[in-house]
Amino acid sequence: MATHESSAANEATRTASSNRRGPRADRTDIATGILDGARSVFARHGYQGATIRMIATEAGVDTKLVHYYHGSKSELFSAVIAATFTAEGIQDRLLKALAGDEGGWAGYLEYIITTLDDPRFGPPFISLLRSVGTHDESRTIMLRFITGQILPQIPAAHSAQGAPLELALIGAHIHGILFARYILQLPRICAATPHEIAQSAAPALEAYMAAFIAGKE
């Protein structure tokens, strides 16, 4: 048994080494495959229930390769969320909302809800949202995502005090709507379409934005 385990470990090491030396396209394919596998596992089991071994099995690679390409489970989860936001253009939509384009904040909120309603992309983020209030590591991941992925996209958020209060309130308002729809599952909010929710919430979001703009003048 020890010989078999040693052989398996050596094979994994040779595979990782081969991938480090191999073409960049091969390395990208492996890293992307791991992200796709992680997205599926996180969607089914949530952040706390998922394991690196599950993700490696889903991606068809050794666990060492998961760590090699993406680090710890929390780092991998952050990468999954960031990749989803980038692939779905949510960060671009945020910049457009700040500029008042593409329907402003109503368009942005409708786009986010539509994306999270999609079973291909929503479950990993929803699982994080579900555990933020009770799980310290999940809360750290969420804060790291906001401060590392969202705030850098907002020029006005770069200050010693962090994001301006009005922009933080926009984020908090949107977070509350998502929590009510996907975690509490309030019947009226669950029954509403993304468009209906966005149109109803937009005046409050735009009021925060107007206060932020007035404060800059």
Side-chain angles (χ1 to χ4, degrees), residues 93 102-117 177-178 181-182 188-203 205:
R93 293 297 293 253
E102 298 284 346
W105 289 107
Y108 177 66
L109 179 56
E110 180 175 352
Y111 195 76
I112 287 180
I113 296 174
T114 300
T115 299
L116 295 186
D117 279 354
I177 291 171
L178 300 182
R181 183 176 178 86
Y182 299 108
R188 185 65 188 90
I189 295 180
C190 288
T193 67
H195 180 74
E196 289 171 339
I197 295 172
Q199 291 301 313
S200 295
L205 301 179

Side-chain angles (χ1 to χ4, degrees), residues 109-198:
L109 179 56
E110 180 175 352
Y111 195 76
I112 287 180
I113 296 174
T114 300
T115 299
L116 295 186
D117 279 354
D118 188 330
R120 296 173 299 167
F121 303 107
F125 187 85
I126 293 169
S127 73
L128 175 62
L129 193 65
R130 179 176 291 109
S131 57
V132 159
T134 59
H135 186 236
D136 286 341
E137 189 174 8
S138 297
R139 185 160 50 249
T140 298
I141 292 171
M142 177 66 85
L143 287 174
R144 186 168 61 203
F145 175 70
I146 292 171
T147 59
Q149 299 290 331
I150 299 298
L151 294 185
Q153 304 296 321
I154 306 174
H158 292 285
S159 70
Q161 292 76 35
L165 177 60
E166 295 84 1
L167 295 185
L169 288 172
I170 289 175
H173 197 125
I174 292 174
H175 179 275
I177 291 171
L178 300 182
F179 191 87
R181 183 176 178 86
Y182 299 108
I183 309 305
L184 291 179
Q185 297 184 352
L186 294 180
R188 185 65 188 90
I189 295 180
C190 288
T193 67
H195 180 74
E196 289 171 339
I197 295 172

Side-chain angles (χ1 to χ4, degrees), residues 49-73:
T51 67
I52 292 295
R53 186 173 297 280
M54 288 179 185
I55 292 166
T57 299
E58 184 78 16
V61 300
D62 189 271
T63 56
K64 290 183 174 62
L65 286 178
V66 177
H67 290 297
Y68 173 73
Y69 282 101
H70 295 288
S72 66
K73 186 175 81 166

